């Protein structure tokens, strides 16, 4: 690529406008993070095509650009959500009376789906957790799903047909026959026997794929794969997590917690849908996950669906996997509490028989606790990923602690400028700060100035034609002096110095 990433970001920064929406809030900068994300994605694709898919250099470059792309994606999601929450909060006092009237007229009973909709709409933090989970699902790396195979346990059924009628439990040759004699879904666990080798291999691949689909929020794909592979009973077991809905008890529209499970938010089922006994289904999933005789990914699948951590954590291969597992558990706990506390038409079936299935993981209530629990794990892979600079930035964005992060980052820059020569991280931090400031989020002014001045110093060394694009973001009283000092350090020709003055005029700097 002929243009540097610094030049591309400067061009994108200069292109942003300041239009306003109906409520008077600036709306144009809200798209800026997506532009940065696209630039990082282009670099990621270029690194793959330029160096080849197997080159070690390519893997490092692509991984770095992928992490940056995901960071911009996260920033856009959370900043828009928080900005909208701030706008809504400013109108709360005006709408209090109307909301009270609506509450008074609300029906005494409602559905699980409507309860969860109301919870997410009223709980800004929960809405953020749902968005973080979606981000973790959408940015999960690609995987190779198992192929669809028709013919339910074909090889096992063939073995059963050949040997199942024999009274002897031994296979030909006198060796113990470990193949099941029946082919229903529970036969292997009930008889403590095995499927035919080819079927067992496919079953393991299928279960791994189903878990990977759920890990990526693609529950619909998981159910489709089950049905297409002649295991509709497993699709039904996954579908048991759908929230109960009744169009006669729900208002039109609303916000879907998971569009893959519940369909688009503006669509209502023609008839009742979902599981009215979802709590019982969750306990059944927990019991299945708790059974050590089951495949590890089958246990992880049903643990993830029901919000358990015990069986999901062992199969987490990355920091992002572990964070997703904990966030998913936290969301499911809040949803379950909302459903239990809501006004329901149906009483859940008793679940005392599942009382022995307890989790060894303590519940987590917020993202700070999630990151703390994951950081304390002894996985080397998690620890390595968590120490990545962009991972720290992502945690600051998720916990809404970017101002503190910016303060700390500015202190670590010190008088020598860029910390450890990491100009790429400095570029990201500067543009995150400028983006949030455009959206009127509060940031520490001194820290923002320090990191911006440090980035200007970096540009002055390698991209001096870009300096004029960033000086206007300094405090007004410091702009002229900063650019004058930059010009005094330039040793180029007269024509080059004139060009730098012209760039200053183009960006609104005082050159008189």
């Amino acid at each position: 690529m002929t243009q540097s990433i610094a030049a591309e970001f400067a061009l994108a920064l200069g292109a942003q406008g300041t239009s306003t929406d109906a409520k008077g809030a600036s709306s144009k900068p809200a798209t800026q993070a997506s532009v940065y994300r696209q630039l990082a994605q282009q670099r990621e694709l270029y690194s793959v095509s330029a160096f080849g898919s197997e080159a070690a250099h390519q893997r490092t470059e692509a991984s770095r650009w992928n992490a940056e792309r995901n960071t911009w994606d996260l920033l856009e999601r959370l900043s828009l959500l928080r900005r909208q929450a701030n706008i809504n909060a400013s109108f709360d006092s005006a709408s209090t009376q109307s909301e009270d009237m609506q509450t008074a007229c609300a029906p005494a009973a409602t559905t699980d789906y409507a309860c969860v909709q109301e919870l997410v709409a009223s709980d800004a933090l929960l809405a953020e957790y749902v968005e973080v989970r979606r981000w973790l699902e959408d940015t999960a790396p690609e995987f190779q799903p198992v192929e669809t195979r028709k013919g339910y346990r074909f090889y096992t059924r063939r073995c059963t047909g050949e040997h199942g009628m024999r009274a002897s439990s031994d296979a030909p040759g006198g060796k113990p026959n470990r193949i099941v004699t029946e082919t229903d879904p529970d036969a292997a666990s009930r008889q403590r026997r095995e499927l035919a080798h080819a079927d067992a291999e496919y079953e393991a691949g299928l279960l791994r794929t189903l878990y990977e689909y759920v890990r990526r929020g693609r529950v619909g794909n998981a159910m489709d794969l089950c049905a297409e592979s002649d295991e509709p009973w497993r699709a039904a077991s996954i579908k048991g997590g759908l929230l109960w809905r009744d169009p006669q008890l729900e208002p039109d529209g609303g916000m879907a917690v998971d569009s893959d499970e519940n369909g688009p938010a503006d669509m209502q089922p023609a008839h009742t849908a979902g599981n009215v006994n979802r709590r019982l289904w969750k306990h059944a999933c927990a019991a299945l996950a708790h059974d050590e005789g089951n495949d590890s990914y089958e246990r992880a699948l049903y643990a993830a669906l029901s919000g358990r951590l015990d069986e999901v954590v062992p199969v987490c291969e990355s920091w992002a996997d572990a964070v997703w597992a904990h966030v998913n558990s936290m969301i499911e706990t809040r949803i379950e509490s909302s459903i239990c506390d809501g006004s329901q038409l149906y009483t859940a079936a008793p679940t005392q028989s599942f009382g022995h299935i307890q989790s060894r993981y303590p519940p987590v209530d917020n993202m700070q606790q999630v990151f703390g629990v994951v950081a304390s794990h002894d996985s080397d892979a998690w620890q390595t990923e968590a120490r990545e600079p962009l991972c720290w930035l992502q945690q600051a964005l998720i916990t809404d602690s970017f101002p503190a992060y910016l303060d700390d980052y500015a202190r670590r820059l010190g008088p020598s400028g860029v910390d450890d020569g990491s100009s790429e991280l400095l570029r990201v931090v500067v543009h995150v700060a400028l983006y949030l400031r455009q959206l009127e989020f509060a940031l520490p002014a001194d820290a923002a100035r320090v990191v911006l001045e440090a980035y200007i110093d970096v540009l002055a060394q390698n991209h001096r034609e870009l300096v004029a694009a960033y000086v206007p973001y300094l405090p007004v009283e410091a702009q002229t002096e900063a650019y004058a000092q930059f010009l005094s350090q330039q040793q180029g020709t007269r024509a080059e110095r004139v060009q730098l003055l012209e760039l200053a005029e183009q960006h609104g700097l005082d050159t008189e």
Side-chain angles (χ1 to χ4, degrees), residues 71-395:
T71 302
W72 292 119
D73 186 17
L74 174 66
L75 175 65
E76 182 179 25
R77 292 169 185 253
L78 293 181
S79 61
L80 293 179
L81 197 63
R82 288 165 180 165
R83 178 170 166 267
Q84 188 60 49
N86 292 339
I87 293 174
N88 293 341
S90 65
F91 285 82
D92 279 349
S93 58
S95 59
T96 300
Q97 183 177 358
S98 174
E99 291 176 355
D100 290 343
M101 293 177 61
Q102 292 177 3
T103 302
C105 298
T110 185
T111 66
D112 294 348
Y113 184 79
C115 278
V116 175
Q117 278 188 316
E118 182 179 352
L119 175 66
V120 175
S122 61
D123 189 334
L125 273 180
L126 180 58
E128 288 187 17
Y129 299 159
V130 171
E131 195 60 50
V132 169
R133 182 176 66 176
R134 284 176 179 156
W135 171 73
L136 290 164
E137 292 169 347
D138 293 343
T139 58
E142 295 181 359
F143 76 103
Q144 183 61 46
V146 72
E147 76 281 359
T148 300
R149 193 182 78 175
K150 290 292 185 181
Y152 171 69
R153 296 183 177 177
F154 172 79
Y155 297 99
T156 302
R157 286 190 291 112
R158 188 170 69 178
C159 290
T160 301
E162 293 174 355
H163 307 296
M165 299 300 293
R166 300 184 180 186
S168 173
S169 61
D170 291 343
K175 296 182 180 180
N177 183 7
R178 298 299 303 161
I179 303 298
V180 295
T181 60
E182 299 171 321
T183 57
D184 61 275
D186 297 321
S189 60
R190 183 178 64 252
Q191 296 184 346
R192 299 299 177 184
R193 293 190 171 204
E194 303 168 356
L195 303 178
H197 181 69
D199 288 339
E201 280 193 336
Y202 180 77
E203 193 79 1
L206 175 67
L207 293 170
R208 172 71 183 266
T209 297
L210 295 178
Y211 168 76
E212 296 292 354
Y213 274 141
V214 171
R215 162 67 180 88
R216 288 155 179 78
R218 298 163 61 181
V219 178
N221 291 113
M223 291 189 291
D224 289 343
L225 177 60
C226 292
E228 292 166 1
S229 298
D230 289 340
E231 294 194 10
W233 57 270
R234 195 183 296 279
S237 71
I238 296 174
K239 192 175 182 180
L242 297 185
L243 296 167
W244 173 60
R245 304 188 63 178
D246 187 334
Q248 298 186 25
L249 297 175
E250 294 179 7
D252 293 334
M255 175 181 176
V257 177
D258 191 333
S259 59
D260 191 41
E261 291 186 7
N262 297 298
D266 58 350
M267 291 184 61
Q268 286 185 331
H271 308 287
T272 56
N275 187 355
V276 72
N277 246 331
R278 189 173 185 270
R279 190 178 184 187
L280 178 61
W281 168 83
K282 280 190 61 176
H283 283 281
C285 287
L288 197 158
H290 186 70
D291 187 348
E292 296 181 356
N294 293 323
D295 177 90
S296 60
Y297 280 98
E298 181 174 28
R299 299 176 68 192
L301 166 67
Y302 288 101
L305 289 171
S306 59
R308 277 177 62 86
L309 286 170
D310 300 63
E311 296 78 25
V312 181
V313 170
V315 302
C316 291
E317 298 179 349
S318 68
W319 175 86
D321 290 340
V323 173
W324 174 84
H326 285 79
V327 174
N328 179 65
S329 177
M330 183 168 57
I331 293 172
E332 185 59 42
T333 298
R334 292 203 179 193
I335 288 177
E336 182 66 19
S337 176
S338 170
I339 293 175
C340 292
D341 294 342
S343 178
Q344 306 297 305
L345 286 175
Y346 296 94
T347 301
T351 55
Q352 289 88 344
S353 60
F354 295 102
H356 66 287
I357 304 173
Q358 301 295 328
S359 173
R360 65 177 182 274
Y361 286 88
V364 290
D365 297 324
N366 53 61
M367 291 306 306
Q368 289 88 346
Q369 291 183 11
V370 169
F371 292 134
V373 170
V374 174
S376 65
H377 199 274
D378 58 3
S379 169
D380 292 338
W382 298 7
Q383 301 304 325
T384 300
E385 189 176 350
R387 285 192 295 267
E388 291 293 325
L390 286 177
C391 187
W392 280 107
L393 176 55
Q394 291 167 3
Q395 293 180 54

